Amino acid sequence: FGSRYPCHWQSSDMDIDFQIGTPKKEERVMEKSLIYNGRFDQITDYARCVFIMEDSSEIPSLILKLKECKDFHVVRLKNRLNPAYDERESAGYRDCQLLVSTSSKWTVEIQIVPSEIFDLRTRLGHDDYKKYRFIVEAGRRARSRFKAEREKLLGGDVE
């Protein structure tokens, strides 16, 4: 992510760091296009930013403030901090993710990450995570293709 900007909501004492992410790199766009069977229009996080929260108990308050914002509207909320969320779906990564649509029709991904998780990601290095994520996604694609071929051969929905 880019430079850090301290951000303090006027109506709150929340201590939040805010970073604007760099645009998604071409290599990752191509990887994601494989996940979506070549549907580039399904990739929703070309532009992204992150709120890094010192106190994770304040995440719901931040989400409410973002939902009240008049500059965009929330399209989707994915809570990967929920203990019930299957961590295999995100290669083990945990955050709260909002997709918002701006008046100019841009879709932007807003990540809300507890500082402990963000610091761990920074210390471990994003490169190792990207390699692991690529392997997990390749396995998911292979299983999906195998299941589709098996259904064609055997007919119907086969587990």
Side-chain angles (χ1 to χ4, degrees):
F1 281 92
S3 302
R4 293 175 74 127
Y5 300 98
C7 175
H8 300 281
W9 293 101
Q10 293 178 355
S11 62
S12 175
D13 294 328
M14 287 189 271
D15 183 21
I16 305 170
D17 283 334
F18 177 75
Q19 296 182 18
I20 297 173
T22 57
K24 187 168 290 304
K25 293 184 176 150
E26 183 179 346
E27 178 182 354
R28 180 63 181 147
V29 169
M30 297 309 289
E31 288 172 2
K32 288 193 96 169
S33 74
L34 293 173
I35 294 169
Y36 297 117
N37 296 317
R39 296 276 319 268
F40 288 90
D41 62 316
Q42 296 295 306
I43 301 171
T44 56
D45 60 345
Y46 291 105
R48 45 209 167 146
C49 62
V50 62
F51 287 95
I52 304 157
M53 305 291 294
E54 283 298 322
D55 183 354
S56 59
S57 70
E58 294 178 331
I59 291 174
S61 297
L62 175 61
I63 291 170
L64 288 174
K65 294 217 176 281
L66 291 170
K67 288 176 112 178
E68 293 169 358
C69 183
K70 303 290 185 225
D71 296 322
F72 54 79
H73 74 276
V74 176
V75 177
R76 183 185 78 197
L77 170 66
K78 186 187 296 185
N79 184 1
R80 296 190 291 201
L81 294 170
N82 183 336
Y85 186 83
D86 185 354
E87 72 275 0
R88 293 174 293 185
E89 292 295 316
S90 61
Y93 190 68
R94 297 286 188 165
D95 67 358
C96 190
Q97 180 189 91
L98 287 86
L99 288 183
V100 299
S101 180
T102 67
S103 58
S104 58
K105 305 298 181 211
W106 274 93
T107 301
V108 178
E109 178 184 281
I110 299 174
Q111 298 174 4
I112 304 172
V113 184
S115 59
E116 300 89 4
I117 292 175
F118 188 82
D119 293 343
L120 182 63
R121 178 176 90 179
T122 303
R123 278 197 318 270
L124 292 178
H126 198 59
D127 287 340
D128 288 339
Y129 167 72
K130 289 191 308 188
K131 290 173 190 169
Y132 173 72
R133 180 185 63 201
F134 181 78
I135 292 168
V136 168
E137 290 172 353
R140 193 177 298 136
R141 286 191 305 274
R143 285 188 299 279
S144 176
R145 274 190 242 121
F146 175 75
K147 183 178 178 186
E149 289 299 317
R150 187 173 61 180
E151 287 175 2
K152 270 197 256 180
L153 289 172
L154 300 176
D157 190 25
V158 180
E159 287 297 318

